[in-house]
Amino acid sequence: MPNAASVMRDVIMADAAAGQRGQVVLRFVRWQAWQRLARRPMTVTAFGNAKLRLHPHRTSSALAYYHGMPDPWEMAFVRDVLRPGDTFLDVGANVGVYSVLAGSIVAPDGLVVCLEPAADTAEILRENLQLNNIPARLIAAAAGAEPGTAAMTSGHDATNRITSAEASGQELAEIDVVTLDEVCESLQPVVAKVDVEGFELEAMRGSRRLLADRRPAAWLIEVNELSDRTDLVDLLDEATEPFIYEPHERALVPLSWSDAVGRRDIKNVLAVADRAFIASRLTPESSR
């Protein structure tokens, strides 16, 4: 198992593994053995009664199997805010870990809208949605500032990104690009997750009408070393307030935009457009 020891160290040392490292190690060993010996997908239970189809060498679904919720506060926020009948927007859905979590809550009368431009990944996403009978709209495109096309890497699982041939030094796939304003023209999403490997600014530039309308009420947006943080913050600051979420207290914790820009330990920002609405969803009386 090349690099298995180093991968396992990273997995069991993750914050999400605290207090359950024995179970995490057992799941890790089971899946590593299965994908090398069986070389076919394995279906596991996730998020209560939902199911995930694990495919070999797919990182996000494997982490969900190991940890339950690999993004602890982010996924807890989705779980605590959504209600049956809501709409959830998943931009950069990958194989559907967030979509399955959200879909298990909003079904059967709600909707999960997924954007995933990588064709091989979108097939696994569709499989996971169908496995859970999630009411979903799967859009095989990336979100951008304007409709059109773009070039994206392929074969890199969750780290595929929009780039240029000169920058990447590899063969690229042409993908469609749509705006979130167009996708959500007649929808009222409650929460959106945006994880697009450095293309977050362009995705949000195509969401100006949504931001102005305070749709959705909250955005979970990844910010990493590829993200243009300063311009992204300038755009979000017009319509949202930054927070992180404390699941044990069911509380929004204020975060300055300067921290969102400057702190490299912050990987995701909760940009809240309708604080009163989100707060109302987090009160004990409103919990399911």
Side-chain angles (χ1 to χ4, degrees):
M1 296 183 186
N3 300 318
S6 62
V7 172
M8 185 168 74
R9 183 184 63 247
D10 292 341
V11 166
I12 66 175
M13 291 305 292
D15 289 344
Q20 55 171 344
R21 288 201 171 109
Q23 294 181 21
V24 170
V25 170
L26 288 174
R27 293 180 195 126
F28 175 84
V29 171
R30 181 189 182 201
W31 174 237
Q32 293 299 317
W34 178 277
Q35 68 176 337
R36 285 164 173 78
L37 298 175
R39 299 191 179 191
R40 59 186 173 86
M42 179 173 74
T43 302
V44 300
T45 301
F47 318 127
N49 295 321
K51 297 185 185 302
L52 274 179
R53 183 80 37 87
L54 306 188
H55 284 250
H57 314 299
R58 293 288 176 166
T59 304
S60 62
S61 53
L63 288 174
Y65 174 51
Y66 301 152
H67 298 301
M69 293 200 299
D71 297 337
W73 72 259
E74 297 91 333
M75 299 184 84
F77 177 80
V78 171
R79 177 200 64 200
D80 292 348
V81 168
L82 290 180
R83 300 288 182 272
D86 283 345
T87 296
F88 176 75
L89 175 62
D90 195 352
V91 185
N94 195 253
V95 300
V97 171
Y98 273 83
S99 291
V100 169
L101 170 63
S104 69
I105 298 167
V106 305
D109 299 322
L111 179 67
V112 176
V113 180
C114 311
L115 276 75
E116 177 49 55
D120 60 334
T121 304
E123 282 304 308
I124 301 175
L125 169 61
R126 182 177 289 107
E127 186 178 16
N128 277 319
L129 294 169
Q130 292 174 348
L131 186 65
N132 292 280
N133 296 314
I134 291 173
R137 182 183 303 172
L138 200 168
I139 300 168
E146 299 289 342
T149 60
M152 191 178 75
T153 61
S154 61
H156 296 285
D157 189 25
T159 61
N160 281 320
R161 62 189 180 93
I162 294 175
T163 184
S164 65
E166 294 77 11
S168 70
Q170 62 181 291
E171 186 176 348
L172 303 175
E174 185 177 78
I175 60 167
D176 291 328
V177 177
V178 296
T179 70
L180 295 181
D181 280 342
E182 173 189 7
V183 167
C184 297
E185 183 175 8
S186 59
L187 299 175
Q188 189 76 34
V190 173
V191 178
K193 184 220 78 181
V194 181
D195 182 353
V196 287
E197 298 302 310
F199 210 61
E200 289 79 16
L201 175 61
E202 294 303 302
M204 297 310 298
R205 280 175 169 162
S207 311
R208 292 183 186 275
R209 189 162 64 248
L210 289 176
L211 287 169
D213 292 345
R214 296 198 297 179
R215 290 182 295 139
W219 302 79
L220 274 168
I221 304 175
E222 183 187 47
V223 286
N224 59 29
E225 66 277 2
L226 298 172
S227 304
D228 188 336
R229 294 186 177 205
T230 302
D231 287 347
L232 179 61
V233 165
D234 288 344
L235 178 62
L236 294 174
D237 190 34
E238 300 175 7
T240 68
E241 302 173 81
F243 297 88
I244 54 175
Y245 180 59
E246 173 47 64
H248 299 296
E249 303 294 331
R250 293 177 64 93
L252 298 173
V253 179
L255 178 72
S256 70
W257 283 122
S258 61
D259 277 344
V261 172
R263 282 176 49 184
R264 295 297 159 177
D265 62 315
I266 293 177
K267 302 301 182 184
N268 298 284
V269 172
L270 175 58
V272 176
D274 191 338
R275 185 175 183 177
F277 173 79
I278 294 298
S280 72
R281 284 287 179 99
L282 295 175
T283 59
E285 294 78 13
S286 73
S287 61
R288 291 175 304 278

